Amino acid sequence: LELILELFQPHIFNNNKTTGSNNLSAAIFSIDDFRIEEIKNKASINYELPRYTYLNNLTLDWNLKNQRVTFKYPLLGYNEDDSSFSTIPTGAFVNIFSSILGLTLVHSRIDNFQFPTGGIYQSFLVEESGLLGTAISKLFDISTVNYVKLSFINKYYIPITSRPDKSTIATKFLIGNIFEYGDNSLKLSTSDEDYTLDVVPIDSRFIAGGSTSVRGWNARKLGTFDGRENGGNFIIEGTIEHRTRPFYDMKGLIKDFGFVSFVDVGNLWYNINDFKPNDLAVAIGVGLRYYTIVGPVRLDFGFKFYDYEPAPGTNAWLWQNNITQIFQDKFALQFGIGNTF
């Protein structure tokens, strides 16, 4: 549950290439292990560069966030004071302050931002949390998080007919990693001792599975570790998608119908040191599209072509399973609005 108030300001400093925004929000997240109450303010400045330069767009974000995390179930925590493990009781909470600076660099040569049919798009993200938060945590009885997040996205669109609006190959590659550093220990309300826990914010972590990820797995269900729904520190994803609109030259509602076929590859790891090539999951599938002014409404049918972690009684490769096993354990229905990427 989230309430957002946003102020958008074009032409900052009387420059039509510079825009800014300020986003104030209050949110409540409730998942299996804990509940988060959050107040956040995010200020952003965006600068548009000429298209003939390699970098076309720069965005600087400053995100100030205060979270109260309440644990619903007892958890095992590492005690920094005496190097031992002990149980964190139900109802204990942590007050976390984060100051996150992010810089996004974009190179874009795509022909259409909303419906790309040709060109390349690259995005480089550098995000840091800890510099200001560490100073604040020394003044007040709060916890903070220290990490650097790096990610790279490459999208490439290839028209394969003389009518690119009717048939295009779209590809995407994503790689990202979060490096935790410093003293990432939590100060619990029920104890004077500090505990080392996984405290990188859930909305800063990478997640896998779902309608814009590896589509044979449902949202937040792909990952090589327990607790994957809370996100991980290292991700690799790749996609090849054929998009076709066979009725584009016709009149009426049928004109805006389209179809896709796709292959998705990737997975999520808790840390980069846990990466194994054999853990890469593969999904295949087809999808329906209806194109509107705000983007396509999409419905995808994804199958686990290679399941790195098959359920008991099933096999890793799709063809090694019978029809019942496929639709019970190897199938996911995905819905979304807007292009997959």
Side-chain angles (χ1 to χ4, degrees), residues 104-206:
T104 304
L105 311 175
V106 171
H107 164 73
S108 179
R109 289 290 187 273
I110 56 177
D111 55 0
N112 186 301
F113 182 78
Q114 190 171 15
F115 303 104
T117 59
I120 188 171
Y121 175 95
Q122 295 176 328
S123 174
F124 307 84
L125 168 68
V126 181
E127 185 177 286
E128 191 280 334
S129 172
L131 293 178
L132 179 61
T134 300
I136 297 295
S137 67
K138 293 179 179 178
L139 299 176
F140 303 95
D141 188 24
I142 59 175
S143 301
T144 191
V145 293
N146 301 272
Y147 70 86
V148 174
K149 179 179 180 180
L150 304 175
S151 69
F152 169 70
I153 300 175
N154 186 90
K155 305 174 185 178
Y156 191 50
Y157 304 91
I158 310 168
I160 56 175
T161 69
S162 58
R163 295 287 305 277
D165 289 332
K166 297 184 68 173
S167 186
T168 300
I169 295 290
T171 68
K172 181 191 79 171
F173 174 74
L174 161 67
I175 186 169
N177 190 50
I178 297 174
F179 303 89
E180 297 185 43
Y181 71 92
D183 181 18
N184 278 342
S185 58
L186 299 182
K187 299 177 182 178
L188 292 179
S189 62
T190 56
S191 174
D192 294 330
E193 301 169 344
D194 294 344
Y195 291 82
T196 297
L197 286 179
D198 193 2
V199 294
V200 173
I202 190 172
D203 54 347
S204 296
R205 290 190 176 278
F206 300 106

Side-chain angles (χ1 to χ4, degrees), residues 77-86 193-194 196:
Y78 179 71
N79 190 324
E80 288 279 358
D81 293 337
D82 58 10
S83 300
S84 64
F85 288 91
S86 59
E193 301 169 344
D194 294 344
T196 297

Side-chain angles (χ1 to χ4, degrees), residues 179-324:
F179 303 89
E180 297 185 43
Y181 71 92
D183 181 18
N184 278 342
S185 58
L186 299 182
K187 299 177 182 178
L188 292 179
S189 62
T190 56
S191 174
D192 294 330
E193 301 169 344
D194 294 344
Y195 291 82
T196 297
L197 286 179
D198 193 2
V199 294
V200 173
I202 190 172
D203 54 347
S204 296
R205 290 190 176 278
F206 300 106
I207 58 172
S211 64
T212 59
S213 181
V214 184
R215 283 166 276 184
W217 283 257
N218 289 320
R220 297 180 177 269
K221 296 300 182 182
L222 180 60
T224 60
F225 55 95
D226 294 335
R228 65 199 72 179
E229 64 275 3
N230 298 332
N233 284 354
F234 182 63
I235 192 171
I236 293 178
E237 285 185 357
T239 294
I240 299 177
E241 184 173 276
H242 178 221
R243 303 171 180 173
T244 181
R245 300 174 68 178
F247 314 115
Y248 190 71
D249 295 325
M250 297 184 180
K251 296 181 179 180
L253 294 177
I254 196 173
K255 168 186 174 71
D256 294 314
F257 275 99
F259 306 92
V260 303
S261 55
F262 58 84
V263 178
D264 299 332
V265 180
N267 214 326
L268 178 70
W269 291 264
Y270 187 76
N271 280 313
I272 189 171
N273 294 333
D274 302 326
F275 170 77
K276 297 177 183 177
N278 291 339
D279 287 338
L280 288 170
V282 183
I284 60 173
V286 295
L288 303 175
R289 300 288 185 270
Y290 185 77
Y291 291 89
T292 70
I293 193 172
V294 295
V297 178
R298 50 190 168 87
L299 186 66
D300 289 330
F301 305 86
F303 296 88
K304 299 176 182 177
F305 186 73
Y306 175 73
D307 189 350
Y308 72 101
E309 191 180 42
T314 67
N315 296 292
W317 295 99
L318 185 66
W319 68 81
Q320 296 174 331
N321 301 274
N322 58 45
I323 293 298
T324 300

Side-chain angles (χ1 to χ4, degrees), residues 17 57 68 81 96 112 151 231 313 328:
K17 300 296 184 182
N57 199 285
R68 175 173 167 148
D81 293 337
I96 302 176
N112 186 301
S151 69
Q328 283 184 346

